[in-house]
Amino acid sequence: MRVSLTVNGRAREADDVWEGESLLYVLRERLGLPGSKNACEQGECGSCTVRLDDVPVCSCLVAAGQAEGREVVTVEGLAALAGRRAARGAPDGPDGPDGPDGQGGQGGQGGPGGPPGEGATRLSPVQQAFVDAGAVQCGFCTPGLLVAADEMLERNPAPTDADIREALSGNLCRCTGYEKIMDAVRLAAARQGEAVRPCP
Amino acid sequence: MPVKPAVGTPAEVTQGSRTGGGVGESTLRPDGILKVTGEFAYASDMWHEDMLWGQVLRSPVAHAEILSVDTGEALATPGVHAVMTYDDLPTGVRTYGLEIQDTPVLAHGRVRHHGEPVAIVAADHPETARRAAARIRVEYRELPLVTDESSATAPGAPLLHEDRADHRAGHVPHPNVVHRQPIVRGDVAAARGRADFVVEGEYTFGMQDQAFLGPESGLAVPAEDGGVDLYVATQWLHADLRQIAPVLGLPEDKVRMTLSGVGGAFGGREDLSMQIHACLLALRTGRPVKIVYNRFESFFGHVHRHPARIHYEHGATKDGRLTHMKCRIVLDGGAYASTSAAVVGNAASLSAGPYVLDDVDIEALALYSNNPPCGAMRGFGAVQACFAYEAQMDRLADAVGMDRVGFRQLNAMSQGTVMPTGQRVDSPAPVAELLRRVKAMPMPPRRQWLAAGEQADVRELPGGLSNTTHGEGVVRGVGYAVGIKNVGFSEGFDDYSTARVRMEVVGGEAVATVHTAMAEVGQGGVTVLAQIARTELGVVRVTIQPADTRVGSAGSTSASRQTYVTGGAVRNACGLVREKVLELGRRRFGTYHPAWATAELLLEGGRVVTDGGEVLADLADVLGDEAVEVEEEWRHRPTEPFDLRTGQGFGHVQYSFAAHRAVVEVDTELGLVKVVELACAQDVGKALNPLSVIGQIQGGTVQGLGMALMEEIVVDPGTAKVRNPSFTDYLIPTILDTPDLPVDVLELADHHAPYGLRGVGEAPTLSSTPAVLAAIRDATGLELNRTPVRPEHLTGTA
Amino acid sequence: MDFLRPASWEEALAAKAAHPAAVPIAGGTDVMVEINFDHRRPEHLMDLNRIGELGEWEVGEESVRLGAAVPYTAIMEHLRGELPGLALASHTVASPQIRNRGGVGGNLGTASPAGDAHPALLAAGAEVEAGSVRGSRLIPIDAFYTGVKRNALAADELIRAVHIRKADGPQQYSKVGTRNAMVIAVCAFGLALHPASRTVRTGIGSAAPTPVRARTAEEFLNAALDEGGFWDNGRSITPSVAQRFAELCSAACNPVDDVRGTAGYRRHAVGVLARRTLAWTWESYRGTAAAEGGV
């Protein structure tokens, strides 16, 4: 079947979709957006978290056909989403710096890569905070955590630690022990707070 | 906890003549930005025009003879391009293995564990491949099971591997024993006579899973030269290559491996998973083949941490001195050997823990059984023993009537202590100091669930969001533990790494390129290698090349060894590059300044400077159009095997130590536990990247917490089948299960190691589990001789 | 596999009548797991997301008519006053992402004994509104669960809504899992005080082949409260009454040993939860009654 949807602000179509495919599969394998991750495919890890009509969901549990005509934001669209929020005057803080600084990574550049995707060169504040706070190790949980954390900070700009833990309780991380993730979300919230405070 | 300020990116921190972003700084990950934008390409993200999807058919039973395999219907399925079984393997090499080549590429006439690969399929869509795999008809005749020590060694027990010809076979008490390592030292009988208190304990350690988030995946692309290009997530490219190429019948240079993004490893990617299968299907079909396990399959796709039955006897005098120790550790290795033998070596040689014990009688062994194969996981044989000996220490301290930390400190080893293997510890071993530090940390406040007001915040209580208590039945407990782990490959293994370092001028600036085959699995090795190059070569810009097999082996990303060994190799190669650069400088500019010939010269901040700080030349001018490149292997000092009868030998390169204090709250009526704080003190020798070091310690700590409270692969003893192969029933800690994790990092240099560093990654996984268990015992007064501890064990309803 | 996309309730009923084996999918939190792991290959998958009314609720005089696909997040946020037990239960469901998609209709359709909503529905009192081309009917919640993962729906029926009695007194819900979040119930317990009728209702999850009420325990407690004049005198419930109630709740269980917990533990834990939730609700009732000058 054919599935038409809007992803990160762009109208997209996928053809020959098998009816049992998930939105996650369509994003990763048909639309060139492998940022959403396939860690458990049973809704237990949150690494595939995307926003479906604004709401964070596990894209592995959305049947592809259910996404017909709907709006999806993935990790690849987070920077643009933050940009749109900032333009509306919502608390988002200064834009992050430009992307890769010329240092080589590993892995990411070694393979044949994916189908033509959407490059995101700027970082949203929460993305920048994850990099700065050391919240990224293997990084497989990171995209889902970013989408969830970004949405929480949109709703709750000054979360307590318990609020952060509750909001991120659907996102498993196996590398960090979560402490640096807590640091990152606190940092993003603090920067967001500074950005809306009037200058002295 | 205050928010830490962001640290500078490497590009911003050139200060004075010192080169910024070097060793000792918390520089940020070079792959961090790609990972937060979703652009970093993990193995499961690989994609190729025209690619097919591979699927594995696995055994539904644990032990059976395969009577027949019929692939006809599967092959006839539209969209299916290949179906392969054992009979389709291209060469006579049809088994593989890290140490003992006992693992069939595809089952031959017999399956030995639940989930063993029997056949593989390639098709144009994953669903087509799944449907086709389901149409392969396999007839099994079930065989009697080996599930534990008694069924493995009973008279007439079925042999997992008949006609064993491996090099361990001649030294084991039974063919169902993979490897056995005794260690005998001193006179246990005499020492026992001096004991005023003797404590014996029987302990059980469950089967833990690495539960890395990125499932086993990869893409094999057939090449025009008849070879294959393989993009895969692994811990050791060259070990994979050594096992893959002979099965394919290809020379190693025709199997070109590139590391793709690795979504965590923790030991679970040391053994092969989908590598050979993808290559076989790609070569058979002439099309690229991608294989991605789902989570269910991942539980069958890699080895787990060995479950163990452990018996200890310790003695102590009235004044609290340990007299002797006897111990027997039985590890279940499952159906195939994997790294079981090395795990046995570690379990035996580290079973005394970080304590002075001159009179010991130790035996460790690993069984072959029909349970899932077990092998490497973070902590590698030292974890199981630590859980048990730390329980013993608490019981001994109580028997003697001493403070539990004080008892440990009194018996703590230190530099100069002789291990049970006879090896003298020749670098700092600050065991008592780590305990002191972790004990000195401030205690978390009590009744923290009322911090926000009158109403209990259930998120701060045992049970969490499930709303099981508002404070009823909740008792606090505190526990301590400390552990010892070896760093690097041991027992005479030729443990080396290779680094290729190049220096040249790009855009008017001297730039270094570092190429190694080190697998970055998330630990931050790529960050540290770039820091080393900056420090050694005085450049700001360093490019880390993708890891592949076009450069020599880096050894495994295991055993807390990569910063030591590949870091050492990069430092060594950088030193050789520096000499060549200085030689070039002397040739070009030596006549202009006498210091070129007389002074100690350094590369700093893009310049050649004297040790007095005088600038002699810009590196860009020295290099001009020339590129300087070196590829060189580097080894740590050699070790030797343990004697097969006495266990004596200089077996380990380095030891690492961590101590934990756990503060828990136990709902004693429901048996639910909330860890309130889990503090760690660890000696890291030298923190090359403090931010990454703390990340490693916290991550290891929480894996230990999971082992204490929830993580266990449950194998049905009646069928040897895995009962919980999913993230619904194999639980790992969420962020709500995880407390604050304060870390105190001690840096006492080991002068044998580059920069004095000590491997970091594993030690915190050891002591975390027993600290949590000790805290639960403190809260409940229960004995708790198994881990993970479940609510049943705390409520007498097991 | 065919993917059916009915745009209205009537279209959905027609499709279900034409394809009785069609599997309805709303939040997908059960169905997609089974599809992803190859446990299920229905010939027809029927998406209910396009039927807007399933995501709506109406608060009536006596009860709340909750659309089958109202996500748990909405119940937590908007119906805490009317449906406190179900709101608490909703908060224990899996993770925020799952609560944003999953709803009570799915829980009822799957009818797993471990479904988080069931004990709260049993304790509050509810009726399931089922529809088919033949018409619609209300199935009392007590008659809805017919076996392990089986319910009273006919093959051509779909769940349209649940009518849940509005709380007339305090309600509580507790669930035991071996993790502090994102966990399937080892066992769960719901309790609702109904001061209007001077009755107490319970619901037990994951401790019997189906969700069940602890009827003997309810009868005992109703009688004890009545005899002691507790509803009027506002006294604390005596420990012996609470203990007997807990024992009878444990006795109402018929659990299995499985990978998530032993039968013995489930029985034990249900007793603890029964005692605690009774204390919480009763103390809350006393507080409210005192504030209203009732006692």
Side-chain angles (χ1 to χ4, degrees), chain B residues 137 163 276 285 370 525 544 559 613 699 745:
Chain B
R137 307 272 168 245
D163 312 319
I276 296 176
T285 61
N370 293 115
I544 305 292
V745 172

Side-chain angles (χ1 to χ4, degrees), chain B residues 127 130-131 463 465-470 472 667 669-670 672 728-729 731-732 737 790-792 795 797, chain C residues 38 41 91-92 172-175 177-181 184 258-262 265 268-269 272 275-276 280:
Chain B
E127 174 65 2
R130 283 190 292 264
R131 295 278 63 76
L465 289 174
S466 295
N467 187 40
T468 47
T469 177
H470 297 167
E472 299 91 336
D667 179 339
E669 284 188 293
L670 286 175
L672 300 178
T728 307
D729 285 313
L731 302 182
I732 66 174
D737 297 283
R790 299 177 55 90
E792 291 91 318
T795 52
T797 54
Chain C
D38 210 356
R41 284 290 176 270
H91 205 156
T92 74
Q172 273 292 347
Y173 179 89
S174 287
K175 152 175 150 182
T178 35
R179 185 160 71 177
N180 285 340
I184 293 192
D258 66 14
V259 74
R260 293 174 190 149
T262 62
Y265 177 74
H268 164 80
V272 175
R275 181 157 42 76
R276 288 183 184 173
W280 298 339

Side-chain angles (χ1 to χ4, degrees), chain A residues 3-194:
Chain A
V3 176
S4 308
L5 69 170
T6 304
V7 185
N8 300 330
R10 284 176 58 198
R12 304 294 301 267
E13 277 181 3
D15 281 319
D16 301 323
V17 173
W18 170 60
E19 291 73 10
E21 281 177 26
S22 64
L23 172 60
L24 176 67
Y25 184 93
V26 169
L27 291 169
R28 289 175 52 78
E29 303 293 342
R30 298 190 182 278
L31 299 180
L33 292 166
S36 307
K37 289 290 171 265
N38 56 318
C40 81
E41 295 177 87
Q42 55 182 146
E44 295 279 355
C45 78
S47 63
C48 66
T49 303
V50 302
R51 291 177 71 169
L52 179 67
D53 289 348
D54 265 356
V55 177
V57 304
C58 291
S59 61
C60 71
L61 300 185
V62 177
Q66 294 185 292
E68 173 69 31
R70 303 183 69 171
E71 282 200 37
V72 175
V73 176
T74 69
V75 69
E76 290 96 338
L78 271 192
L81 176 69
R84 288 200 296 279
R85 270 198 306 257
R88 287 200 309 269
D92 235 323
D95 286 339
D98 287 340
D101 65 353
Q103 284 199 63
Q106 207 175 357
Q109 296 164 345
E118 302 169 12
T121 51
R122 312 181 81 185
L123 302 187
S124 72
V126 71
Q127 287 172 318
Q128 187 65 49
F130 267 61
V131 174
D132 292 343
V136 178
Q137 287 190 28
C138 92
F140 211 79
C141 68
T142 305
L145 271 160
L146 288 168
V147 174
D150 181 75
E151 193 267 348
M152 178 200 59
L153 289 171
E154 195 179 282
R155 276 186 294 118
N156 181 1
T160 64
D161 280 4
D163 293 341
I164 299 172
R165 290 192 195 274
E166 178 174 344
L168 303 184
S169 62
N171 293 81
L172 296 177
C173 169
R174 190 56 160 169
C175 295
T176 65
Y178 301 106
E179 183 100 341
K180 299 292 174 205
I181 291 169
M182 293 295 295
D183 286 350
V185 179
R186 291 174 191 132
L187 180 63
R191 286 177 178 169
Q192 186 173 274
E194 279 163 27

Side-chain angles (χ1 to χ4, degrees), chain C residues 194-260:
Chain C
H194 298 284
S197 56
R198 298 199 162 189
T199 55
V200 176
R201 283 176 63 117
T202 60
I204 297 173
S206 242
T210 66
V212 292
R213 283 171 63 191
R215 287 179 186 275
T216 311
E218 290 176 15
E219 283 160 17
F220 160 77
L221 186 59
N222 288 339
L225 292 177
D226 205 34
E227 280 163 27
F230 286 91
W231 291 106
D232 296 316
N233 63 28
R235 292 211 319 263
S236 287
I237 290 177
T238 51
S240 61
V241 169
Q243 188 52 40
R244 183 67 190 141
F245 173 68
E247 285 164 15
L248 291 169
C249 287
S250 288
C253 300
N254 180 19
V256 292
D257 281 317
D258 66 14
V259 74
R260 293 174 190 149

Side-chain angles (χ1 to χ4, degrees), chain B residues 446-469:
Chain B
R446 287 187 172 269
R447 297 175 73 79
Q448 75 286 352
W449 60 88
L450 292 175
E454 291 290 295
Q455 283 274 356
D457 184 342
V458 293
R459 297 174 298 192
E460 304 283 358
L461 279 159
L465 289 174
S466 295
N467 187 40
T468 47
T469 177

Side-chain angles (χ1 to χ4, degrees), chain B residues 742-765:
Chain B
V743 175
D744 189 352
V745 172
L746 185 61
E747 295 181 86
L748 303 179
D750 175 357
H751 296 296
H752 303 96
Y755 306 108
L757 73 84
R758 203 175 280 288
V760 175
E762 292 172 286
T765 311

